[in-house]
Amino acid sequence: TTTVAGTLSCRFEFLRPGHEHRVTISDASAGGDASSIRIDVMVKYVRREIRQLSSEDRETFLTAMELVHRLGDSDGKQAYGSKFVGALFLTRKHLAKITLDGCTPFHGYDVFLTAHEAFTLELEQSLQAIHPAISLPFWDYTLDDALYGDEWITQSPVFASDWFGPVGLR
């Protein structure tokens, strides 16, 4: 709690987005009876472009992504619950044998967008099992093209070593 220019302000961190929370704020500074206000707050997930994440949010996201990539499904589920799925599970599901044979339910048909959104949701829920405040950011690669032109793959901060790492060009 901080006071700014005589106005009381409060900061709350909700670790359960997607839920309604009841917040009560009381001011007992005047002595005697405390005045208070009670409000219901709906906390929603908001997807942001990855460069709009704060350093802390980006680090939380990247740490959780690393766990999704390193943990197997059984270890991940044991540590984080039933919504956890690892990267290997998602990759196998996406690149099933039917995909490799060219007969894919996920590419080239009307289900393309909805199928990939389902994969995105599974990944996001896995990340939220690790840290409930994570909302999967998106990457607007057109910004990289506009800012860096043909050099975007080597110049974009998305491929910096403290983000996703450089792309090995051969």
Side-chain angles (χ1 to χ4, degrees), residues 3-154:
T3 302
V4 178
T7 303
L8 186 65
S9 66
C10 301
R11 181 182 178 337
F12 294 90
E13 181 176 348
F14 298 98
L15 296 178
R16 289 189 46 165
H19 294 83
E20 190 171 303
H21 301 272
R22 176 156 288 169
V23 177
T24 303
I25 304 170
S26 299
D27 179 9
S29 63
D33 293 333
S35 60
S36 64
I37 183 171
R38 179 176 294 157
I39 55 174
D40 293 327
V41 178
M42 173 56 76
V43 181
K44 298 182 178 183
Y45 288 105
V46 176
R47 289 192 176 149
R48 295 174 282 167
E49 207 280 335
I50 194 160
R51 285 167 277 226
Q52 293 176 337
L53 298 178
S54 68
S55 295
E56 182 180 339
D57 288 344
R58 187 179 70 237
E59 195 57 38
T60 300
F61 164 67
L62 291 173
T63 299
M65 279 292 285
E66 182 177 5
L67 288 169
V68 166
H69 277 269
R70 292 191 186 277
L71 290 176
D73 287 342
S74 60
D75 289 341
K77 287 184 187 312
Q78 185 176 2
Y80 299 108
S82 63
K83 289 287 187 178
F84 180 91
V85 292
L88 185 59
F89 169 85
L90 290 171
T91 301
R92 283 184 175 153
K93 184 175 185 180
H94 185 251
L95 298 177
K97 184 170 179 350
I98 55 176
T99 298
L100 299 175
D101 290 343
C103 179
T104 174
F106 305 127
H107 299 107
Y109 300 97
D110 293 340
V111 299
F112 179 83
L113 292 174
T114 54
H116 284 82
E117 280 302 307
F119 286 119
T120 299
L121 179 61
E122 275 187 291
L123 172 59
E124 183 173 61
Q125 289 175 339
S126 186
L127 294 167
Q128 290 166 351
I130 295 167
H131 193 290
I134 291 175
S135 180
L136 189 63
F138 61 91
W139 172 37
D140 184 353
Y141 56 86
T142 64
L143 291 174
D144 293 298
D145 185 59
L147 292 170
Y148 309 111
D150 291 341
E151 301 298 317
W152 68 269
I153 204 160
T154 58

